[in-house]
């Protein structure tokens, strides 16, 4: 295991431990990123820190600085996005605000220097050189294949959307004032160097973005300089600011962010509506009317609070006593808005069924399992009075990379729905590395073959 040392510049015992890559490895190939599986990728992404150590000691707890003195890895980082890439990218129809922000931190405040309309490279470079402005490039994975490849694997690993921004800052300048974010952050230094100052959170695991006044910051908890090839992680809520040291070349870094609105509180809000829906269908107490004029009262009465507490206990008992799939809009939102599977070429394999047609005696298995979610929801086509639960399968095979994380862009759900009676058969397919169609838990052979054929037609199933 590489030797760990304390960060320079703070002298504090609790600082994140930089992990120095042994110089013996610096002359060879870069630390290889393993794209064979999501877990293998993340293990290589934070190498040499072990995944178990990362989640036990750092995730949602404190920053981690990994300094890797590997020229080949630095070259790989530099190729992800360079200042020189902007010229060709501007030719693809970029717009201020949507794709690019131009800004500078002046006296602790963010000054936005955007023009109107389309981004022209010469003007962008002029603002960069003369106004010492930072260029913030939104969601570069829409244009850069290797970032698509990286972020797609991270979305599979975390089961959460993964966005990114590139920040290009000239020497002796700072783009953003001190602030904290509502996302878990991984920083990759791509070009040059960046001087970072991190401060203890005022709102641990913050649920929203916020600026922090300079006069309230105090001394940094951690202070260090990132170089090309280095990686920095810090939890949401960590107050931070960064500048490019004077007298050096410009800095380019990539911010990869995840776990926005993915807390237990968010999951509870998402899940409880389905629990209440089910309980109200089966328990008349949930359908009884609230007291007259309850909504007109300034404060909730003690009796109403007791009734609500009792309903919540009933829901908790129901939840602990079932292994049924829970309704989840979070699942649907995630799969609708995430990246499609990484591919080279036109992606025909994602839209055209391939291989042998499944029959009753076929052995089948799922394709693109990391890009599919299975959930139960009220039938979207039924009326409120007659809504029955259906099994929904949503997938991201047809998602558009070009709209990834661009919140204003319209997205569409892709998938299939089946009667609730199909849920056990679908669970069998999900939990098996391969299964015979005739062994599916459905009443008739016709239903078994029809289910397999539907999944195959959607490119979600293959005959082994």
């Amino acid at each position: 295991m590489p030797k760990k040392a304390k960060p320079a510049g703070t002298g504090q015992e609790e600082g994140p431990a930089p992990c120095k890559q042994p110089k013996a490895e610096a002359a060879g190939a870069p630390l290889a990123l393993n794209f064979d599986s999501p877990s293998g990728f993340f293990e290589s992404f934070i190498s040499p820190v072990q995944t178990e150590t990362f989640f036990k000691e750092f995730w949602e707890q404190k920053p981690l600085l990994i300094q890797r003195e590997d020229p080949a890895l630095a070259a790989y980082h530099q190729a992800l996005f360079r200042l020189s890439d902007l010229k060709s990218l501007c030719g693809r129809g970029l717009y201020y605000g949507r794709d690019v922000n131009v800004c500078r931190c002046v006296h602790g405040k963010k000054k936005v220097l955007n023009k109107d309309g389309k981004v022209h490279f010469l003007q962008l470079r002029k603002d960069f050189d003369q106004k010492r402005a930072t260029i913030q490039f939104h969601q570069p994975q829409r244009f850069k294949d290797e970032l698509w490849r990286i972020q797609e694997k991270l979305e599979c690993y975390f089961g959460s959307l993964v966005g990114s921004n590139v920040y290009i800052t000239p020497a002796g300048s700072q783009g953003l004032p001190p602030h904290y974010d509502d996302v878990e952050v991984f920083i990759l230094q791509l070009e040059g160097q960046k001087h970072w100052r991190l401060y203890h959170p005022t709102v641990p695991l913050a649920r929203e973005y916020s600026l922090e006044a300079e006069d309230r910051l105090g001394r940094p908890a951690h202070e260090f300089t990132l170089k090309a090839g280095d990686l920095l992680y810090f939890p949401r809520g960590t107050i931070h600011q960064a500048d490019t040291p004077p007298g050096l070349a410009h800095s380019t870094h990539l911010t990869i962010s995840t776990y926005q609105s993915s807390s237990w509180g968010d999951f509870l809000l998402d899940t409880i509506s389905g629990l209440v829906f089910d309980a109200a269908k089966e328990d008349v107490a949930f359908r009884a009317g609230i007291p007259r004029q309850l909504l007109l009262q300034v404060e909730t009465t003690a009796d109403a609070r007791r009734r609500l507490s009792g309903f919540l206990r009933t829901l908790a008992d129901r939840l602990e006593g079932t292994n049924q799939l829970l309704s989840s809009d979070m699942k649907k939102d995630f799969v609708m808005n995430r990246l499609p599977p990484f591919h080279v070429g036109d992606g025909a394999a994602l839209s055209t069924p391939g291989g042998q047609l499944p029959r009753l005696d076929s052995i089948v298995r799922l394709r693109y399992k990391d890009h599919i979610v299975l959930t139960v929801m009220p039938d979207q086509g039924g009326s409120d009075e007659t809504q029955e639960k259906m099994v929904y399968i949503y997938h991201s095979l047809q998602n558009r990379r070009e709209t990834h994380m661009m919140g204003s862009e319209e997205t569409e759900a892709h998938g299939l729905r089946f009667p609730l009676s199909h849920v056990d058969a679908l669970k069998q397919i999900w939990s098996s590395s391969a299964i015979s169609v005739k062994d599916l838990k459905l009443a008739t052979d016709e239903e078994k073959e029809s289910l397999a054929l539907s999944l195959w037609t959607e490119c979600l199933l293959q005959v082994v």
Side-chain angles (χ1 to χ4, degrees), residues 17 28 41 131 140 155 169 233 278 324 356 361 426 435 453:
F41 174 80
K131 297 182 180 179
E155 287 188 333
T169 304
Y233 158 80
D278 291 345
Q324 293 180 356
Q356 187 180 343
D361 58 352
L426 288 165
I435 189 170
L453 185 59

Side-chain angles (χ1 to χ4, degrees), residues 233-376:
Y233 158 80
F234 52 83
R236 54 195 188 277
T238 303
I239 303 166
H240 57 280
Q241 60 179 326
D243 61 275
T244 303
L248 299 177
H250 69 271
S251 161
T252 303
H253 79 261
L254 174 73
T255 296
I256 295 176
S257 57
T258 191
Y259 256 61
Q260 186 176 49
S261 302
S262 296
S263 68
W264 278 111
D266 296 302
F267 190 62
L268 180 61
L269 284 171
D270 182 54
T271 304
I272 202 163
S273 60
L275 291 173
V276 173
F277 178 87
D278 291 345
K281 289 189 73 172
E282 300 173 17
D283 187 341
V284 68
F286 281 80
R287 302 197 298 272
I290 60 176
R292 287 178 297 104
Q293 300 187 344
L294 177 65
L295 303 181
L296 297 177
Q297 297 172 11
V298 176
E299 295 182 350
T300 307
T301 64
D303 181 61
R305 289 196 298 272
R306 279 194 296 272
R307 293 291 297 274
L308 286 173
S309 297
F311 287 134
L312 289 173
R313 280 189 285 270
T314 300
L315 291 176
D317 291 341
R318 289 174 62 92
L319 182 60
E320 289 188 1
T322 183
N323 61 355
Q324 293 180 356
L325 283 175
L326 299 174
S327 265
S328 177
D329 286 326
M330 282 177 72
K331 282 186 175 184
K332 180 181 178 182
D333 289 342
F334 167 53
V335 83
M336 279 177 61
N337 292 288
R338 63 176 298 189
L339 283 164
F342 176 77
H343 60 265
V344 178
D346 61 5
L350 301 179
S351 57
T352 306
Q356 187 180 343
L357 201 70
R359 302 294 185 189
L360 189 63
D361 58 352
S362 298
I363 306 293
V364 297
R365 67 180 173 205
L366 274 182
R367 302 174 69 198
Y368 307 109
K369 186 175 181 178
D370 291 328
H371 284 264
I372 312 170
V373 298
L374 180 66
T375 187
V376 293

